[in-house]
Amino acid sequence: MESVREALSTGFFREEDTAVVIHDLDALEAGLAALRQAFPPHTLTAVAVKANPLPPLVGFLAERGAGAEAASLPELCLALEAGVPAERLVFDSPAKTVAELRFALARGVHVNADNLDELTRIAELAATLDTVPSVGLRINPQVGLGGIKATSVAGTYSKFGVPLARRREIRDAFARYPWLTGLHVHVGSQGCPLDLLVAGTGAVFDLAEAINGELGRGRVRVFDLGG
């Protein structure tokens, strides 16, 4: 009981509060550092805003060089307001409106298109912008589902991304759009074993190598290993 009185005396808590969530910022910073050590120095570590959409936490990570991944326009605006630079933002909502695309592209945010039709919309917007868009294309690696079907998105007929089997159309899109410079892969959020994650990443990396082999080295310059 004495500890409750002490907590109330700090001013951070009220008697009507029924739950308290405490964040260990040291652990969060250590996790970010460990993630960076696992990848090359130039890699952008973008933390999903939806994982914890609290502006102070997003800003805390931004101050330490992290980027942010936004799956909706509100998440994108939250990250910008929290201090994440536009060049460290990734916008990959699977259902973007034209207005949302214009908002992101005009600010220099990297956009992952979910499908080939979205690339057509981006092409129309690109003609009206003063800046060259930074765009990637989400690929469904079609390597199978994890233990939780609802959060697995790499099956043969999963709902997001361009199926890997359409590789000729994907290659043609890179030939057609000079601002299309990236590939994005996300196998699943929960219940996906390591070998499935590796298989999905490897399949899309092989696609990047094939495109670079056909269209010139460096044609695919961004590889977004999501999730």
Side-chain angles (χ1 to χ4, degrees):
M1 192 66 180
E2 190 62 34
S3 61
V4 173
R5 293 195 183 93
E6 291 176 356
L8 290 172
S9 69
T10 65
F12 289 108
F13 310 105
R14 301 167 300 176
E15 288 192 19
E16 59 267 30
D17 290 333
T18 58
V20 176
V21 177
I22 298 174
H23 297 277
D24 188 335
L25 298 183
D26 290 336
L28 184 60
E29 191 169 14
L32 179 63
L35 189 59
R36 283 179 167 160
Q37 290 177 1
F39 291 92
H42 63 276
T43 302
L44 171 64
T45 303
V47 180
V49 175
K50 66 182 177 183
N52 201 330
L54 296 177
L57 280 181
V58 176
F60 175 85
L61 291 167
E63 290 172 358
R64 285 147 184 81
E69 177 267 340
S72 67
L73 182 62
E75 291 180 14
L76 180 60
C77 293
L78 185 153
L80 287 168
E81 288 292 326
V84 182
E87 63 270 18
R88 282 197 257 136
L89 274 167
V90 179
F91 184 38
D92 54 12
S93 164
K96 311 175 196 70
T97 66
V98 172
E100 290 172 348
L101 284 170
R102 183 183 295 109
F103 179 90
L105 294 171
R107 286 160 177 76
V109 172
H110 180 79
V111 171
N112 281 326
D114 185 72
N115 50 68
L116 298 173
D117 289 338
E118 189 174 323
L119 290 180
T120 302
R121 292 191 285 274
I122 291 174
E124 294 171 353
L125 287 170
T128 69
L129 298 174
D130 295 329
T131 59
V132 178
S134 176
V135 180
L137 180 62
R138 180 170 180 170
I139 306 299
N140 173 8
Q142 299 182 291
V143 292
L145 301 176
I148 306 174
K149 290 184 179 181
T151 58
S152 295
V153 289
T156 303
Y157 302 107
S158 290
K159 54 191 172 181
F160 300 132
V162 182
L164 183 64
R166 299 174 66 180
R167 60 176 62 244
R168 178 48 55 184
E169 294 173 82
I170 297 167
R171 180 265 181 204
D172 290 347
F174 275 88
R176 184 179 307 116
Y177 304 123
W179 37 259
L180 179 59
T181 58
L183 288 174
H184 168 46
V185 56
H186 178 56
V187 173
S189 299
Q190 304 287 340
C192 293
L194 183 59
D195 58 347
L196 188 66
L197 297 173
V198 171
T201 301
V204 178
F205 184 81
D206 288 343
L207 174 63
E209 290 289 277
I211 292 172
N212 283 336
E214 288 189 50
L215 302 180
R217 300 304 303 177
R219 185 64 193 83
V220 180
R221 300 195 300 273
V222 178
F223 190 82
D224 184 347
L225 171 58

